Every structure is written in C-alpha cells, then in structure tokens.
Amino acid sequence: MENKLLCIINEILEIKKEKKVEKLTLEWSLRDDLGFTSFDLAELTVRIEDEFDVDIFEDGLVDTISEVIAKLK
C-alpha cells in the first residue's frame, strides 16, 4: 500500500517537474513538504480513489502522509 502511494505521489511530482521522493516520511505535509496545490490534492484524491476505492477527504481535510495512510487502512 505504501509503495503504491509513493508511486502515485511521484507521478504527480513528475507532472509538476519536481524532484521525486525515494521514500515517504509520515510527518510530511502534503502542501508544505511536497508542495501540493489544491489541484494536486484533487489529482491525489482521484488516483487514490481509483487505486484503493477510498476517498481520503470524505471526512474532512487530510494534511500529512500519516493521515493519508490512516485513511487507507
């Protein structure tokens, strides 16, 4: 699951022409550390929903990698 999430995040970073990450850090903020915009977060939501059938923003905002992983579990 975490490897697939890493792949999804790196695909979004690649589209943004940003440096890919080698591994996920649980404390990372999607906006502050990865530089995701609202558009990027929407893309992340769609890709996660397609892959895992989970809407990570269904119950409110998600800010960190650990919050995303908790939603996926």
Side-chain angles (χ1 to χ4, degrees), residues 17-44:
K17 300 196 183 328
E18 298 287 335
K19 183 180 175 187
K20 292 182 181 181
V21 294
E22 303 234 354
K23 66 176 192 160
L24 297 175
T25 300
L26 296 177
E27 297 81 25
W28 277 351
S29 164
L30 298 170
R31 288 184 182 271
D32 297 334
D33 296 309
L34 293 174
F36 279 18
T37 64
S38 296
F39 178 77
D40 300 326
L41 292 173
E43 180 71 20
L44 178 67

Side-chain angles (χ1 to χ4, degrees), residues 32-73:
D32 297 334
D33 296 309
L34 293 174
F36 279 18
T37 64
S38 296
F39 178 77
D40 300 326
L41 292 173
E43 180 71 20
L44 178 67
T45 302
V46 168
R47 289 179 182 228
I48 286 175
E49 193 166 346
D50 287 347
E51 183 67 31
F52 299 103
D53 199 31
V54 173
D55 180 355
I56 60 171
F57 289 104
E58 181 177 21
D59 299 325
L61 294 178
V62 175
D63 182 54
T64 65
I65 297 294
S66 63
E67 292 172 342
V68 172
I69 291 172
K71 295 278 186 162
L72 295 177
K73 291 182 178 181

